[in-house]
Amino acid sequence: MGTASQLQYEPRWIAMGPSWSDSLTKSPVFPYMVKNYWVALDGPEWGDQSAPGMRAMLEEIKTYKPDQKPNYWFTFGYAQAQVVQKVLEEAVKQGDLSHDGIIKAVAAIRRVDLGGLFGEYTYGKPADRVPPRESSLFKPNAAKPYGLDGLSVNHATDTAKAYVFP
């Protein structure tokens, strides 16, 4: 993007989540990014109180990790930990924490409500699994936590909603 900026090449860059770090808000290329760059991630902006999962996460952060800074990867790990918890609870319920028992537990759970932190994922047997249809688009904004401002949050197109996984 630095080279593109120097060449005054200004397409709309749309990148996947791992391309973003809030440290970019201090980069010399940041003004260029504000004009030309969007990032696709899952879930709401950090601190979005309209998402029950975000409210719950922020409350737990106050209790267990009050020095936690806004960080998308923290949110991702928090959500994934909830899924792992549900899987382990199911394995305990079935009385089998072996590798095979964990596989059976994953097949037995259907959905884990992440309170809007991420789109709904249908678990179950591998052939029955359906990933989320939603995605979020963000633009850089140094005034926002984690440096991102939601353009379209947890949005699923009609095409995505209608897609049938083979």
Side-chain angles (χ1 to χ4, degrees):
M1 280 196 211
T3 301
S5 174
Q6 290 172 346
L7 296 173
Q8 297 180 354
Y9 177 64
E10 298 200 6
R12 168 64 60 208
W13 300 85
I14 302 176
M16 298 299 293
S19 71
W20 177 254
S21 168
D22 62 336
S23 64
L24 290 167
T25 62
K26 296 171 182 62
S27 164
V29 77
F30 186 70
Y32 175 84
M33 294 179 82
V34 169
K35 287 177 26 184
N36 301 293
Y37 172 89
W38 292 346
V39 61
L41 291 164
D42 292 311
E45 289 181 35
W46 182 279
D48 180 349
Q49 297 292 313
S50 71
M54 180 64 71
R55 285 194 309 271
M57 183 184 78
L58 294 174
E59 282 302 312
E60 290 186 23
I61 286 172
K62 281 184 197 174
T63 303
Y64 300 107
K65 194 161 182 1
D67 61 337
Q68 177 63 48
K69 303 271 188 274
N71 183 300
Y72 175 78
W73 300 110
F74 180 91
T75 305
F76 181 78
Y78 177 87
Q80 292 302 304
Q82 289 180 44
V83 174
V84 169
Q85 177 181 342
K86 294 294 182 193
V87 169
L88 292 175
E89 287 172 350
E90 180 63 29
V92 167
K93 184 174 130 186
Q94 293 182 15
D96 188 356
L97 285 166
S98 69
H99 175 79
D100 288 342
I102 299 295
I103 299 298
K104 289 177 187 171
V106 171
I109 64 171
R110 297 305 298 158
R111 292 183 177 91
V112 178
D113 182 3
L114 298 173
L117 281 180
F118 293 97
E120 187 173 286
Y121 187 104
T122 301
Y123 293 88
K125 295 178 182 173
D128 299 333
R129 295 179 191 163
V130 179
R133 310 305 177 114
E134 301 86 11
S135 190
S136 298
L137 273 179
F138 296 88
K139 64 180 179 177
N141 181 340
K144 291 285 193 156
Y146 196 55
L148 293 174
D149 193 8
L151 291 169
S152 178
V153 175
N154 289 337
H155 178 77
T157 64
D158 291 337
T159 302
K161 290 177 196 174
Y163 183 78
V164 176
F165 288 87

